[in-house]
Coordinates of all heavy atoms in Angstrom, one line a residue:
M1054 N 112.0 -36.4 -14.6 CA 112.2 -35.1 -15.2 C 113.6 -34.6 -14.7 O 113.9 -34.6 -13.5 CB 111.1 -34.2 -14.8 CG 111.2 -32.8 -15.5 SD 109.7 -31.9 -15.3 CE 110.2 -30.4 -16.2
K1055 N 114.4 -34.0 -15.7 CA 115.6 -33.5 -15.3 C 115.6 -32.1 -14.9 O 114.7 -31.3 -15.5 CB 116.5 -33.6 -16.6 CG 116.7 -35.1 -17.0 CD 117.5 -35.2 -18.3 CE 117.5 -36.6 -18.7 NZ 118.0 -36.9 -20.0
N1056 N 116.4 -31.7 -14.0 CA 116.3 -30.3 -13.5 C 117.6 -29.5 -13.7 O 118.5 -30.0 -14.3 CB 116.0 -30.3 -12.0 CG 117.1 -31.1 -11.2 OD1 118.1 -31.2 -11.6 ND2 116.7 -31.5 -9.9
R1057 N 117.6 -28.3 -13.3 CA 118.8 -27.4 -13.5 C 120.1 -28.0 -13.0 O 121.1 -27.9 -13.6 CB 118.5 -26.0 -12.9 CG 119.6 -25.1 -13.0 CD 119.3 -23.6 -12.7 NE 118.3 -23.0 -13.6 CZ 118.7 -22.5 -14.8 NH1 119.9 -22.5 -15.1 NH2 117.8 -22.1 -15.6
K1058 N 120.0 -28.6 -11.8 CA 121.2 -29.2 -11.1 C 121.8 -30.2 -12.1 O 123.1 -30.3 -12.3 CB 120.8 -29.7 -9.8 CG 122.0 -29.9 -8.9 CD 122.5 -28.6 -8.4 CE 123.1 -28.8 -7.1 NZ 123.9 -27.6 -6.7
Y1059 N 121.0 -31.1 -12.7 CA 121.4 -32.1 -13.6 C 122.2 -31.5 -14.7 O 123.3 -32.0 -15.1 CB 120.2 -32.9 -14.1 CG 120.6 -33.9 -15.2 CD1 121.2 -35.1 -14.9 CD2 120.3 -33.5 -16.5 CE1 121.5 -36.0 -16.0 CE2 120.6 -34.4 -17.6 CZ 121.2 -35.6 -17.3 OH 121.5 -36.5 -18.3
Y1060 N 121.6 -30.5 -15.4 CA 122.3 -29.9 -16.6 C 123.6 -29.1 -16.2 O 124.5 -29.1 -17.0 CB 121.3 -29.0 -17.3 CG 120.3 -29.8 -18.1 CD1 118.9 -29.9 -17.7 CD2 120.6 -30.6 -19.1 CE1 118.0 -30.6 -18.4 CE2 119.7 -31.4 -19.8 CZ 118.4 -31.4 -19.4 OH 117.5 -32.2 -20.1
E1061 N 123.6 -28.5 -15.0 CA 124.8 -27.8 -14.6 C 125.9 -28.8 -14.5 O 127.0 -28.5 -14.8 CB 124.5 -27.1 -13.3 CG 123.6 -25.9 -13.3 CD 123.3 -25.2 -12.0 OE1 123.6 -25.9 -11.0 OE2 122.7 -24.2 -12.1
Q1062 N 125.6 -30.0 -13.9 CA 126.6 -31.0 -13.8 C 127.0 -31.6 -15.2 O 128.1 -31.8 -15.5 CB 126.1 -32.1 -12.9 CG 127.1 -33.1 -12.5 CD 126.7 -34.1 -11.4 OE1 125.4 -34.3 -11.4 NE2 127.6 -34.6 -10.6
L1063 N 126.0 -31.8 -16.0 CA 126.2 -32.4 -17.4 C 127.1 -31.4 -18.2 O 128.0 -31.9 -19.0 CB 124.9 -32.6 -18.1 CG 125.0 -33.2 -19.5 CD1 125.4 -34.6 -19.4 CD2 123.6 -33.2 -20.1
F1064 N 126.9 -30.1 -18.1 CA 127.6 -29.2 -18.9 C 128.8 -28.5 -18.2 O 129.3 -27.6 -18.6 CB 126.7 -28.0 -19.4 CG 125.5 -28.5 -20.3 CD1 124.3 -27.9 -20.2 CD2 125.6 -29.5 -21.1 CE1 123.2 -28.3 -20.9 CE2 124.6 -30.0 -21.9 CZ 123.4 -29.4 -21.8
N1065 N 129.2 -29.1 -17.1 CA 130.3 -28.6 -16.3 C 131.6 -28.4 -17.1 O 132.3 -27.4 -16.8 CB 130.6 -29.6 -15.1 CG 131.4 -29.0 -14.0 OD1 131.4 -27.8 -13.9 ND2 132.2 -29.8 -13.4
K1066 N 131.9 -29.2 -18.0 CA 133.1 -29.1 -18.7 C 133.2 -27.9 -19.7 O 134.2 -27.6 -20.3 CB 133.4 -30.4 -19.5 CG 132.4 -30.7 -20.6 CD 132.8 -32.0 -21.3 CE 131.8 -32.3 -22.4 NZ 132.1 -33.5 -23.2
Y1067 N 132.0 -27.4 -20.0 CA 132.0 -26.2 -20.9 C 132.2 -24.9 -20.3 O 131.9 -24.8 -19.1 CB 130.6 -26.2 -21.7 CG 130.3 -27.3 -22.5 CD1 129.6 -28.5 -22.1 CD2 130.8 -27.3 -23.9 CE1 129.4 -29.5 -23.0 CE2 130.6 -28.4 -24.7 CZ 129.9 -29.5 -24.2 OH 129.6 -30.6 -25.1
P1068 N 132.8 -23.9 -21.0 CA 133.0 -22.6 -20.4 C 131.7 -21.9 -20.1 O 130.6 -22.3 -20.6 CB 133.8 -21.9 -21.4 CG 133.5 -22.6 -22.7 CD 133.2 -24.0 -22.4
D1069 N 131.7 -20.8 -19.3 CA 130.6 -20.1 -19.0 C 129.8 -19.5 -20.1 O 128.6 -19.3 -20.1 CB 130.8 -19.0 -17.9 CG 131.2 -19.6 -16.5 OD1 130.8 -20.7 -16.3 OD2 131.9 -18.9 -15.8
V1070 N 130.6 -19.1 -21.2 CA 130.0 -18.6 -22.4 C 130.5 -19.5 -23.6 O 131.7 -19.6 -23.8 CB 130.5 -17.2 -22.7 CG1 129.9 -16.6 -24.0 CG2 130.0 -16.2 -21.5
V1071 N 129.5 -20.1 -24.3 CA 129.8 -21.0 -25.4 C 129.7 -20.5 -26.7 O 128.9 -19.6 -26.9 CB 129.1 -22.4 -25.2 CG1 129.4 -23.0 -23.9 CG2 127.6 -22.1 -25.3
T1072 N 130.3 -21.1 -27.7 CA 130.2 -20.7 -29.1 C 129.1 -21.5 -29.7 O 128.5 -22.5 -29.1 CB 131.5 -20.9 -29.9 OG1 131.8 -22.4 -29.9 CG2 132.7 -20.2 -29.3
L1073 N 128.7 -21.2 -30.9 CA 127.7 -22.0 -31.6 C 128.1 -23.4 -31.8 O 127.2 -24.3 -31.6 CB 127.4 -21.4 -33.0 CG 126.2 -22.0 -33.7 CD1 124.9 -21.7 -33.0 CD2 126.1 -21.5 -35.1
S1074 N 129.3 -23.7 -32.1 CA 129.8 -25.1 -32.2 C 129.7 -25.9 -30.8 O 129.2 -27.0 -30.8 CB 131.3 -25.1 -32.6 OG 131.8 -26.4 -32.7
Q1075 N 130.1 -25.2 -29.7 CA 129.9 -25.8 -28.4 C 128.4 -26.0 -28.1 O 128.1 -27.0 -27.5 CB 130.6 -25.0 -27.4 CG 132.1 -25.0 -27.5 CD 132.8 -23.9 -26.7 OE1 132.2 -22.8 -26.5 NE2 133.9 -24.2 -26.2
F1076 N 127.6 -25.1 -28.4 CA 126.2 -25.2 -28.2 C 125.6 -26.4 -28.9 O 124.9 -27.1 -28.4 CB 125.5 -23.9 -28.7 CG 124.0 -24.0 -28.7 CD1 123.2 -24.0 -27.5 CD2 123.3 -24.0 -29.9 CE1 121.9 -24.0 -27.5 CE2 121.9 -24.1 -29.9 CZ 121.2 -24.1 -28.7
R1077 N 126.0 -26.6 -30.1 CA 125.6 -27.7 -30.9 C 125.9 -29.1 -30.2 O 125.1 -30.0 -30.2 CB 126.2 -27.7 -32.3 CG 125.6 -26.5 -33.2 CD 126.4 -26.4 -34.5 NE 126.4 -27.7 -35.2 CZ 127.4 -28.1 -36.0 NH1 128.4 -27.2 -36.2 NH2 127.4 -29.2 -36.6
N1078 N 127.2 -29.1 -29.7 CA 127.6 -30.3 -29.0 C 126.8 -30.5 -27.6 O 126.5 -31.7 -27.3 CB 129.1 -30.2 -28.7 CG 130.0 -30.4 -29.9 OD1 129.6 -31.1 -30.9 ND2 131.1 -29.8 -29.9
M1079 N 126.5 -29.4 -27.0 CA 125.7 -29.5 -25.8 C 124.4 -30.1 -26.0 O 123.8 -30.8 -25.1 CB 125.6 -28.2 -25.1 CG 126.9 -27.6 -24.6 SD 126.8 -25.8 -24.1 CE 126.2 -26.0 -22.4
L1080 N 123.8 -29.8 -27.2 CA 122.5 -30.4 -27.5 C 122.5 -31.7 -28.2 O 121.6 -32.1 -28.9 CB 121.7 -29.3 -28.3 CG 121.3 -28.1 -27.6 CD1 120.3 -27.3 -28.4 CD2 120.7 -28.4 -26.2
G1081 N 123.6 -32.4 -28.1 CA 123.7 -33.7 -28.6 C 124.2 -33.8 -30.0 O 124.0 -34.8 -30.7
G1082 N 124.8 -32.7 -30.5 CA 125.4 -32.7 -31.9 C 124.3 -32.3 -33.0 O 124.4 -32.8 -34.0
I1083 N 123.5 -31.4 -32.6 CA 122.5 -30.9 -33.6 C 123.2 -30.2 -34.8 O 124.4 -29.8 -34.7 CB 121.4 -30.0 -33.0 CG1 122.1 -28.7 -32.5 CG2 120.7 -30.7 -31.9 CD1 121.1 -27.6 -32.1
G1084 N 122.6 -30.2 -35.9 CA 123.2 -29.6 -37.1 C 123.4 -28.1 -37.0 O 122.7 -27.4 -36.2
D1085 N 124.2 -27.5 -37.8 CA 124.5 -26.1 -37.8 C 123.2 -25.3 -38.2 O 122.9 -24.3 -37.6 CB 125.7 -25.8 -38.8 CG 126.1 -24.4 -38.7 OD1 126.6 -24.0 -37.6 OD2 126.0 -23.6 -39.7
G1086 N 122.5 -25.8 -39.1 CA 121.3 -25.1 -39.6 C 120.3 -25.0 -38.6 O 119.6 -24.1 -38.4
T1087 N 120.1 -26.2 -37.8 CA 119.2 -26.2 -36.8 C 119.5 -25.3 -35.7 O 118.7 -24.5 -35.1 CB 119.1 -27.6 -36.2 OG1 118.7 -28.5 -37.2 CG2 118.1 -27.8 -35.1
A1088 N 120.8 -25.2 -35.3 CA 121.3 -24.3 -34.2 C 121.0 -22.8 -34.6 O 120.6 -22.0 -33.8 CB 122.7 -24.5 -33.9
R1089 N 121.4 -22.5 -35.8 CA 121.2 -21.2 -36.3 C 119.7 -20.8 -36.4 O 119.4 -19.6 -36.1 CB 121.9 -20.9 -37.7 CG 123.4 -21.0 -37.6 CD 124.0 -20.9 -38.9 NE 125.5 -21.0 -38.9 CZ 126.3 -20.1 -38.6 NH1 125.9 -18.8 -38.4 NH2 127.6 -20.2 -38.5
K1090 N 118.9 -21.7 -36.7 CA 117.5 -21.4 -36.8 C 116.9 -21.1 -35.3 O 116.2 -20.2 -35.2 CB 116.7 -22.7 -37.3 CG 115.2 -22.5 -37.4 CD 114.6 -23.8 -37.9 CE 113.1 -23.6 -37.9 NZ 112.4 -24.8 -38.3
L1091 N 117.4 -21.9 -34.3 CA 117.0 -21.6 -33.0 C 117.5 -20.2 -32.6 O 116.8 -19.5 -31.9 CB 117.6 -22.6 -32.0 CG 117.1 -24.1 -32.1 CD1 117.9 -25.0 -31.3 CD2 115.6 -24.0 -31.7
M1092 N 118.6 -19.7 -33.1 CA 119.1 -18.4 -32.7 C 118.3 -17.4 -33.5 O 117.9 -16.4 -32.8 CB 120.6 -18.2 -33.2 CG 121.6 -19.2 -32.4 SD 121.6 -18.9 -30.7 CE 122.0 -20.6 -30.2
R1093 N 118.1 -17.6 -34.8 CA 117.3 -16.6 -35.5 C 115.8 -16.4 -34.9 O 115.3 -15.3 -35.0 CB 117.2 -17.0 -37.0 CG 118.5 -16.7 -37.8 CD 118.2 -16.8 -39.3 NE 117.6 -18.1 -39.6 CZ 118.1 -19.2 -39.9 NH1 119.5 -19.3 -39.8 NH2 117.5 -20.3 -40.2
E1094 N 115.3 -17.5 -34.5 CA 113.9 -17.4 -33.9 C 113.9 -17.0 -32.4 O 112.8 -17.0 -31.9 CB 113.3 -18.8 -34.1 CG 113.0 -19.2 -35.5 CD 112.4 -20.7 -35.6 OE1 112.4 -21.3 -34.5 OE2 112.0 -21.0 -36.7
N1095 N 115.1 -16.7 -32.0 CA 115.3 -16.2 -30.6 C 114.7 -17.2 -29.6 O 114.1 -16.9 -28.5 CB 114.6 -14.8 -30.3 CG 115.4 -13.7 -31.0 OD1 116.6 -13.8 -30.9 ND2 114.7 -12.8 -31.6
R1096 N 114.8 -18.5 -29.8 CA 114.4 -19.5 -28.9 C 115.4 -19.7 -27.8 O 115.1 -20.1 -26.7 CB 114.3 -20.9 -29.6 CG 113.3 -20.9 -30.8 CD 111.9 -20.8 -30.2 NE 110.9 -21.0 -31.3 CZ 109.6 -21.0 -31.1 NH1 109.2 -20.8 -29.9 NH2 108.8 -21.1 -32.1
V1097 N 116.7 -19.4 -28.1 CA 117.8 -19.4 -27.2 C 118.3 -18.0 -27.1 O 118.7 -17.3 -28.0 CB 118.9 -20.3 -27.6 CG1 120.0 -20.4 -26.6 CG2 118.4 -21.7 -27.9
K1098 N 118.4 -17.4 -25.8 CA 119.0 -16.1 -25.7 C 120.4 -16.3 -26.0 O 121.1 -17.2 -25.7 CB 118.8 -15.7 -24.2 CG 117.4 -15.5 -23.7 CD 117.4 -15.0 -22.2 CE 116.2 -15.0 -21.6 NZ 116.2 -14.8 -20.2
H1099 N 120.9 -15.2 -26.7 CA 122.3 -15.2 -27.1 C 122.8 -13.8 -27.4 O 122.0 -12.8 -27.4 CB 122.4 -16.0 -28.3 CG 121.7 -15.5 -29.5 ND1 120.3 -15.7 -29.7 CD2 122.1 -14.7 -30.5 CE1 119.9 -15.2 -30.7 NE2 120.9 -14.6 -31.3
Y1100 N 124.1 -13.7 -27.5 CA 124.7 -12.4 -28.0 C 125.2 -12.7 -29.5 O 125.7 -13.8 -29.7 CB 125.9 -12.0 -27.2 CG 125.5 -11.6 -25.8 CD1 125.8 -12.5 -24.7 CD2 124.8 -10.5 -25.5 CE1 125.5 -12.2 -23.4 CE2 124.5 -10.1 -24.2 CZ 124.8 -11.0 -23.1 OH 124.5 -10.8 -21.8
Y1101 N 125.1 -11.7 -30.4 CA 125.6 -11.9 -31.7 C 126.6 -10.7 -31.9 O 126.2 -9.6 -32.1 CB 124.5 -11.8 -32.7 CG 124.9 -12.2 -34.1 CD1 125.3 -13.5 -34.4 CD2 125.0 -11.2 -35.1 CE1 125.7 -13.8 -35.7 CE2 125.4 -11.5 -36.4 CZ 125.7 -12.9 -36.7 OH 126.1 -13.1 -38.0
I1102 N 127.9 -11.0 -31.8 CA 129.0 -10.1 -31.8 C 129.9 -10.3 -32.9 O 130.5 -11.5 -32.9 CB 129.7 -9.9 -30.5 CG1 128.7 -9.7 -29.3 CG2 130.8 -8.9 -30.5 CD1 129.3 -9.8 -27.9
R1103 N 130.1 -9.4 -33.8 CA 131.0 -9.6 -35.0 C 130.9 -11.0 -35.7 O 131.8 -11.8 -35.8 CB 132.5 -9.4 -34.5 CG 132.8 -8.1 -34.0 CD 134.2 -8.0 -33.7 NE 134.5 -6.6 -33.3 CZ 135.7 -6.2 -32.9 NH1 136.7 -7.0 -32.8 NH2 135.9 -5.0 -32.5
S1104 N 129.7 -11.3 -36.0 CA 129.2 -12.4 -36.8 C 129.5 -13.7 -36.0 O 129.7 -14.8 -36.6 CB 129.9 -12.4 -38.2 OG 131.3 -12.7 -38.1
T1105 N 129.5 -13.6 -34.7 CA 129.7 -14.8 -33.8 C 128.7 -14.9 -32.8 O 128.3 -13.9 -32.1 CB 131.1 -14.7 -33.1 OG1 132.2 -14.6 -34.1 CG2 131.4 -16.0 -32.3
Y1106 N 128.0 -16.1 -32.7 CA 127.0 -16.3 -31.7 C 127.8 -16.7 -30.3 O 128.6 -17.5 -30.3 CB 126.2 -17.4 -32.0 CG 125.2 -17.1 -33.1 CD1 125.4 -17.6 -34.4 CD2 124.0 -16.4 -32.8 CE1 124.5 -17.3 -35.4 CE2 123.2 -16.1 -33.8 CZ 123.4 -16.5 -35.1 OH 122.4 -16.2 -36.1
L1107 N 127.4 -16.0 -29.2 CA 127.9 -16.3 -27.9 C 126.8 -16.5 -27.0 O 125.8 -15.7 -26.9 CB 128.8 -15.1 -27.4 CG 130.1 -14.9 -28.2 CD1 130.8 -13.6 -27.7 CD2 131.0 -16.0 -28.2
I1108 N 126.7 -17.7 -26.3 CA 125.6 -18.1 -25.6 C 126.1 -18.4 -24.1 O 126.8 -19.3 -23.9 CB 124.9 -19.3 -26.1 CG1 124.6 -19.1 -27.6 CG2 123.6 -19.6 -25.4 CD1 125.4 -20.0 -28.5
P1109 N 125.6 -17.6 -23.1 CA 126.0 -18.0 -21.8 C 125.4 -19.4 -21.4 O 124.3 -19.7 -21.8 CB 125.3 -17.0 -20.9 CG 125.2 -15.8 -21.8 CD 125.0 -16.3 -23.2
K1110 N 126.2 -20.2 -20.7 CA 125.8 -21.6 -20.4 C 124.5 -21.6 -19.7 O 123.7 -22.5 -19.9 CB 126.9 -22.2 -19.6 CG 126.6 -23.7 -19.3 CD 127.8 -24.4 -18.7 CE 128.6 -23.8 -17.7 NZ 129.7 -24.6 -17.1
A1111 N 124.3 -20.6 -18.8 CA 123.0 -20.6 -18.0 C 121.8 -20.4 -19.0 O 120.7 -21.0 -18.7 CB 123.0 -19.4 -17.1
W1112 N 122.0 -19.8 -20.2 CA 120.9 -19.6 -21.1 C 120.7 -20.8 -21.9 O 119.6 -21.2 -22.3 CB 121.2 -18.4 -22.0 CG 121.1 -17.1 -21.3 CD1 120.7 -16.8 -20.0 CD2 121.4 -15.8 -21.8 NE1 120.8 -15.5 -19.7 CE2 121.2 -14.8 -20.9 CE3 121.9 -15.4 -23.1 CZ2 121.4 -13.5 -21.0 CZ3 122.1 -14.0 -23.3 CH2 121.9 -13.1 -22.3
V1113 N 121.7 -21.7 -22.0 CA 121.5 -23.0 -22.7 C 120.7 -23.9 -21.8 O 119.7 -24.5 -22.2 CB 122.9 -23.6 -23.0 CG1 122.7 -25.0 -23.6 CG2 123.7 -22.8 -24.0
I1114 N 121.0 -23.8 -20.5 CA 120.2 -24.5 -19.6 C 118.8 -24.2 -19.5 O 117.9 -25.0 -19.5 CB 120.9 -24.6 -18.2 CG1 122.3 -25.2 -18.2 CG2 120.0 -25.2 -17.1 CD1 123.1 -25.1 -17.0
D1115 N 118.6 -22.8 -19.5 CA 117.3 -22.3 -19.6 C 116.4 -22.8 -20.7 O 115.3 -23.2 -20.6 CB 117.2 -20.8 -19.7 CG 117.7 -20.1 -18.4 OD1 117.7 -20.7 -17.3 OD2 118.0 -18.9 -18.4
Y1116 N 117.2 -22.9 -21.9 CA 116.5 -23.5 -23.1 C 116.1 -24.9 -22.9 O 115.1 -25.3 -23.3 CB 117.3 -23.2 -24.3 CG 116.7 -23.8 -25.5 CD1 115.5 -23.4 -26.1 CD2 117.3 -25.0 -26.2 CE1 114.9 -24.0 -27.2 CE2 116.7 -25.6 -27.2 CZ 115.5 -25.1 -27.7 OH 114.9 -25.7 -28.7
V1117 N 117.1 -25.8 -22.5 CA 116.8 -27.2 -22.4 C 115.7 -27.5 -21.3 O 115.1 -28.5 -21.4 CB 118.0 -28.1 -22.2 CG1 119.0 -28.0 -23.4 CG2 118.7 -27.7 -20.9
L1118 N 115.4 -26.5 -20.5 CA 114.3 -26.7 -19.5 C 113.1 -26.1 -20.0 O 112.0 -26.2 -19.3 CB 114.8 -26.1 -18.2 CG 115.9 -26.7 -17.4 CD1 116.3 -26.0 -16.2 CD2 115.6 -28.2 -17.1
S1119 N 113.1 -25.4 -21.1 CA 111.9 -24.7 -21.6 C 110.9 -25.6 -22.2 O 111.1 -26.8 -22.6 CB 112.3 -23.7 -22.7 OG 112.7 -24.3 -23.9
D1120 N 109.7 -25.1 -22.4 CA 108.6 -25.8 -23.0 C 108.9 -26.1 -24.5 O 108.5 -27.1 -25.0 CB 107.3 -25.1 -22.9 CG 106.8 -25.0 -21.4 OD1 107.2 -25.9 -20.6 OD2 106.0 -24.1 -21.1
H1121 N 109.5 -25.1 -25.2 CA 109.9 -25.3 -26.6 C 110.7 -26.5 -26.7 O 110.5 -27.4 -27.7 CB 110.5 -24.0 -27.1 CG 110.8 -24.2 -28.6 ND1 112.0 -24.6 -29.1 CD2 110.1 -24.1 -29.7 CE1 112.0 -24.7 -30.4 NE2 110.8 -24.4 -30.8
Y1122 N 111.8 -26.6 -26.0 CA 112.7 -27.8 -26.1 C 112.0 -29.1 -25.8 O 112.2 -30.1 -26.4 CB 113.9 -27.6 -25.2 CG 114.9 -28.7 -25.4 CD1 115.7 -28.8 -26.6 CD2 115.0 -29.8 -24.5 CE1 116.6 -29.8 -26.8 CE2 115.9 -30.8 -24.7 CZ 116.7 -30.8 -25.9 OH 117.6 -31.9 -26.1
A1123 N 111.1 -29.1 -24.8 CA 110.3 -30.3 -24.4 C 109.5 -30.8 -25.6 O 109.5 -32.0 -25.9 CB 109.4 -30.0 -23.3
E1124 N 109.0 -29.9 -26.4 CA 108.2 -30.3 -27.6 C 109.1 -30.6 -28.8 O 108.9 -31.5 -29.5 CB 107.2 -29.2 -28.0 CG 106.2 -28.9 -26.9 CD 105.3 -27.8 -27.2 OE1 105.4 -27.2 -28.4 OE2 104.6 -27.3 -26.3
Y1125 N 110.2 -29.8 -28.9 CA 111.1 -29.8 -30.1 C 112.0 -31.0 -30.1 O 112.3 -31.5 -31.1 CB 111.8 -28.5 -30.2 CG 112.6 -28.2 -31.4 CD1 112.0 -28.2 -32.6 CD2 114.0 -28.0 -31.4 CE1 112.7 -27.9 -33.8 CE2 114.6 -27.8 -32.6 CZ 114.0 -27.7 -33.7 OH 114.7 -27.5 -34.9
K1126 N 112.4 -31.4 -28.9 CA 113.4 -32.5 -28.8 C 113.0 -33.8 -29.5 O 113.8 -34.6 -29.9 CB 113.9 -32.7 -27.4 CG 112.8 -33.4 -26.5 CD 113.4 -33.6 -25.1 CE 112.3 -34.3 -24.3 NZ 112.8 -34.6 -23.0
D1127 N 111.7 -34.1 -29.6 CA 111.2 -35.3 -30.2 C 111.5 -35.3 -31.7 O 111.6 -36.3 -32.4 CB 109.7 -35.4 -29.9 CG 109.4 -35.7 -28.5 OD1 110.3 -36.3 -27.8 OD2 108.3 -35.4 -28.0
Q1128 N 111.7 -34.1 -32.3 CA 111.9 -34.0 -33.7 C 113.4 -34.1 -34.0 O 113.8 -34.3 -35.2 CB 111.5 -32.6 -34.2 CG 110.0 -32.4 -34.1 CD 109.6 -31.0 -34.5 OE1 110.3 -30.3 -35.1 NE2 108.3 -30.6 -34.1
L1129 N 114.2 -33.9 -33.0 CA 115.7 -33.9 -33.2 C 116.2 -35.4 -33.2 O 115.7 -36.2 -32.5 CB 116.4 -33.2 -32.0 CG 116.1 -31.7 -31.9 CD1 116.8 -31.2 -30.7 CD2 116.6 -30.9 -33.2
K1130 N 117.3 -35.6 -34.0 CA 117.9 -37.0 -34.1 C 118.6 -37.2 -32.8 O 118.8 -38.3 -32.3 CB 118.8 -37.1 -35.3 CG 118.0 -37.1 -36.6 CD 118.8 -37.1 -37.8 CE 118.1 -37.0 -39.1 NZ 118.9 -36.9 -40.3
A1131 N 119.3 -36.1 -32.3 CA 120.2 -36.2 -31.1 C 119.4 -35.4 -30.0 O 118.8 -34.4 -30.3 CB 121.5 -35.6 -31.4
Q1132 N 119.5 -35.9 -28.8 CA 118.9 -35.3 -27.7 C 119.9 -35.3 -26.4 O 120.7 -36.1 -26.4 CB 117.6 -36.0 -27.3 CG 116.6 -35.9 -28.3 CD 115.3 -36.7 -27.9 OE1 115.1 -37.0 -26.8 NE2 114.5 -37.1 -28.9
V1133 N 119.6 -34.3 -25.6 CA 120.4 -34.2 -24.3 C 119.6 -35.0 -23.3 O 118.5 -34.9 -23.1 CB 120.6 -32.8 -23.9 CG1 121.4 -32.7 -22.6 CG2 121.2 -31.9 -25.0

């Protein structure tokens, strides 16, 4: 099982606050629609400012460690 330290190291190259595009890459290249769906359903904590999604990297890590991602990742073509 992967832990927070693993993901902090994996996502080290990303800035502390990522855009939707960067978030998609962090999750293995998921589609735009899938990423936006996760935002709309509030599965991933985020800020929505001037029609732009901004996600703190710590919240991305919280999501990939969540129960929802553990169940949902099997449906995704790409995984972290």
Side-chain angles (χ1 to χ4, degrees):
M1054 181 166 184
K1055 298 174 183 169
N1056 60 19
R1057 177 168 292 279
K1058 197 76 152 166
Y1059 169 81
Y1060 288 111
E1061 286 173 354
Q1062 190 172 27
L1063 181 67
F1064 299 147
N1065 191 32
K1066 66 180 180 179
Y1067 292 97
D1069 290 338
V1070 178
V1071 298
T1072 63
L1073 189 64
S1074 177
Q1075 291 167 323
F1076 170 72
R1077 291 173 50 209
N1078 289 332
M1079 291 170 85
L1080 293 189
I1083 63 172
D1085 188 64
T1087 301
R1089 289 177 187 274
K1090 181 180 175 186
L1091 291 171
M1092 299 298 149
R1093 284 192 309 271
E1094 293 176 351
N1095 289 320
R1096 300 290 184 181
V1097 180
K1098 294 180 193 176
H1099 63 278
Y1100 297 107
Y1101 189 69
I1102 301 171
R1103 294 187 180 174
S1104 70
T1105 302
Y1106 288 102
L1107 298 173
I1108 310 113
K1110 184 168 43 176
W1112 292 353
V1113 175
I1114 295 170
D1115 289 344
Y1116 175 67
V1117 296
L1118 294 172
S1119 73
D1120 292 336
H1121 180 265
Y1122 183 74
E1124 295 172 15
Y1125 190 60
K1126 71 179 180 179
D1127 294 332
Q1128 298 173 15
L1129 299 174
K1130 292 178 184 174
Q1132 298 178 17
V1133 181

